[in-house]
Amino acid sequence: MAVQATGTTPAPTPDQLQSVWGALKSPRRLKTEVLGGLVVALALIPEAIAFSIIAGVDPRIGLFAAFTMAVTISFVGGRPAMISAATGAVALVIAPLMKSHGLDYLIAAVILAGLFQVLLGLAGVAKLMRFIPRSVMVGFVNALAILIVIAQVPELLGVPWMVYPLAAAALLIIVFLPKLSKAVPAPLVAIVVLTLFTVLASATVPTVGDKGELPDSLPSLFVPNVPLTWETFQIIAPFALAMAFVGLLESLMTAKLVDDITDTRSVKTREALGQGIANMVTGFFGGMGGCAMIGQTMINVKASGARTRISTFLAGSFLIVFVVVLGDVVSLIPMAALVAVMIFVSFSTFDWHSIRPSTLKLMPKSETAVMVATVVVVVATHNLAIGVGVGVLVAMALFARRVAHLVTVERTVSQAGDRETAVYVVDGELFFASSNDLYTQFEYALDPDEVVIDMHASHLWDASTIATLDAVKEKYRRHGKSVTITGLNHASAQMHERLAGKLGADG
């Protein structure tokens, strides 16, 4: 008997959930995107103002950057649903330039940083992400969660007592409302409820309006008034290059994190190019530049469930509408509500599994050391880029140390008639860390006149190894003995033939 089709539509795959057209055709998914963008926009306003203060610019400069970055990256970025706007890391980089040379030079640096990012994207810098170990990634995520909490501390110190129950109430709403209904993002409900309460109760608590004056007009085209000279380039280039690297590193790391959360893949090269384009657009509209924001991205992706570029576009669009048209209303939002949202984001971002005793017991100590080093440096410097760089360096050093001890040398002595030959079989990967020990593994004085070094189970990786083999042969020569190196694979033989005998003072 034929089986009748049930007519049920299969659930969309993670990749299909990223489709803008698919979201536009589904009222349920479109609502998720709209509400996600709404929550992010509200969370962006006080942060953009705070980052403006760090950079030493007017709050409008940070808000305009948040708007232009988010809207532009929604079209040109490589990671759907990721939020880019003005960030603290970028603000820290450009603040000294603002202090020493003023706004026009800062904007020029932002535009140049965008150009650098485009060039780095074309050069394939995104491919370097493969060299960032998992332990560094875990440290990056945990450090970021800690920084998010630290950033909220000033909002909880020296404030009226009412702030604490309000923040607690907001956290309860955010945590428990999804267990009852997910129709509306819990962070948005918390913001609306607390705002209504503080207004109706005439509660005197810090609000968004206390952070700074909101703009009353749209951003306009801005061309920095700086001389187009080599001297100007020398002034702004160091800041622009630092901003480009910091922005790309944070953006690509955030994109990788969102890839893992959504079980999808992003186009890292496109994201690098998109960040550059977005910064150039932002600069020409008088913004302070920026990069991906992991806190707001987690609000969008984890707390709200958004998956497409629609939410990113609407985050920027809602922000400019809120500050320009509804500035009087937005200024009434209590900071306690936004602090609660960010604390929840921090808690959900932190990789708690990574610090469980059972995990630490099973994890190699070197992996744990790399994670801890990354966290400590990031928290100490408040700079994610420096922390990740240190983490990668520590991981490389520990890996080299571990691999260096995996090289073994076995010695045998064979006899053919009256001739004795010492045969050394070298097994392992030979590079600067492991080849330094190789020199001490031979019995120079005790060996017979003929020595064979069999390299069939090893690989030569660098000039340090060639130099070590030259030193071994030279020491045997001083003892009046001959050395033959055999068994080199094709790549090792080519390197050995090209460099052997040419690395010393007489080479």
Side-chain angles (χ1 to χ4, degrees), residues 300-371:
N300 198 40
V301 173
K302 294 191 78 171
S304 302
R307 290 293 182 271
T308 76
R309 300 175 185 275
I310 296 174
S311 58
T312 306
F313 174 80
L314 291 177
S317 301
F318 281 140
L319 181 145
I320 202 67
V321 170
F322 287 154
V323 298
V324 173
V325 180
L326 302 174
D328 292 339
V329 175
V330 172
S331 63
L332 298 175
I333 296 175
M335 287 302 299
L338 299 175
V339 167
V341 172
M342 297 310 295
I343 290 175
F344 173 75
V345 167
S346 171
F347 184 85
S348 60
T349 299
F350 196 93
D351 187 350
W352 296 100
H353 180 267
S354 66
I355 61 172
R356 288 179 184 171
S358 57
T359 303
L360 295 174
K361 185 178 179 180
L362 295 173
M363 193 68 65
K365 289 183 174 59
S366 60
E367 298 282 319
T368 302
V370 170
M371 180 191 73

Side-chain angles (χ1 to χ4, degrees), residues 31 62 81 104 114 116 151 166-167 178 203 211 245 258 267 366 383 387 421 454 463:
K31 182 190 73 172
D104 286 287
F116 282 155
L166 285 174
K211 288 293 179 181
F245 275 114
V258 178
V267 185
S366 60
N383 191 312
T421 303
D454 185 351

Side-chain angles (χ1 to χ4, degrees), residues 60 66 85 113 184 196 230 239 267 290 301 337 414 419 432 476 485:
R60 293 180 303 165
V184 180
L196 289 175
W230 175 247
F239 297 96
V267 185
V301 173
S414 61
R419 295 174 55 190
F432 62 91
Y476 272 117
I485 297 176

Side-chain angles (χ1 to χ4, degrees), residues 12 33 36 114 163 292 299 383 385 400 423 455 474:
E33 300 296 319
V163 168
I299 292 175
N383 191 312
V423 178
M455 310 289 288
E474 174 60 22

Side-chain angles (χ1 to χ4, degrees), residues 121-336:
L122 293 174
V125 71
K127 296 177 182 177
L128 296 178
M129 285 297 295
R130 72 183 70 178
F131 297 109
I132 297 180
R134 178 188 176 278
S135 52
V136 175
M137 190 69 188
V138 173
F140 167 82
V141 170
N142 291 347
L144 196 60
I146 294 170
L147 287 183
I148 291 173
V149 170
I150 291 175
Q152 310 315 308
V153 171
E155 307 298 337
L156 298 172
L157 297 177
V159 294
W161 68 268
M162 180 65 75
V163 168
Y164 303 111
L166 285 174
L171 278 172
L172 290 174
I173 293 172
I174 294 169
V175 172
F176 292 106
L177 181 61
K179 301 180 186 300
L180 303 175
S181 173
K182 295 184 179 179
V184 180
L188 179 59
V189 174
I191 291 170
V192 172
V193 169
L194 262 66
T195 303
L196 289 175
F197 174 81
T198 54
V199 171
L200 295 176
S202 298
T204 304
V205 294
T207 64
V208 171
D210 298 331
K211 288 293 179 181
E213 184 179 354
L214 302 180
D216 55 7
S217 63
L218 294 173
S220 57
L221 189 63
F222 183 94
V223 178
N225 183 23
V226 296
L228 300 178
T229 62
W230 175 247
E231 183 182 357
T232 300
F233 180 81
Q234 287 180 307
I235 293 171
I236 66 175
F239 297 96
L241 194 59
M243 177 182 167
F245 275 114
V246 169
L248 281 183
L249 183 58
E250 290 205 28
S251 299
L252 295 175
M253 293 283 282
T254 304
K256 189 174 187 298
L257 179 61
V258 178
D259 289 351
D260 295 338
I261 293 172
T262 60
D263 196 24
T264 56
R265 296 179 63 183
S266 57
V267 185
K268 303 297 190 302
T269 298
R270 177 176 173 180
E271 183 61 36
L273 296 172
Q275 289 292 327
I277 294 171
N279 271 307
M280 285 191 288
V281 170
T282 296
F284 280 117
F285 279 93
M288 59 181 273
C291 62
M293 301 186 73
I294 192 166
Q296 276 63 30
T297 298
M298 291 300 101
I299 292 175
N300 198 40
V301 173
K302 294 191 78 171
S304 302
R307 290 293 182 271
T308 76
R309 300 175 185 275
I310 296 174
S311 58
T312 306
F313 174 80
L314 291 177
S317 301
F318 281 140
L319 181 145
I320 202 67
V321 170
F322 287 154
V323 298
V324 173
V325 180
L326 302 174
D328 292 339
V329 175
V330 172
S331 63
L332 298 175
I333 296 175
M335 287 302 299

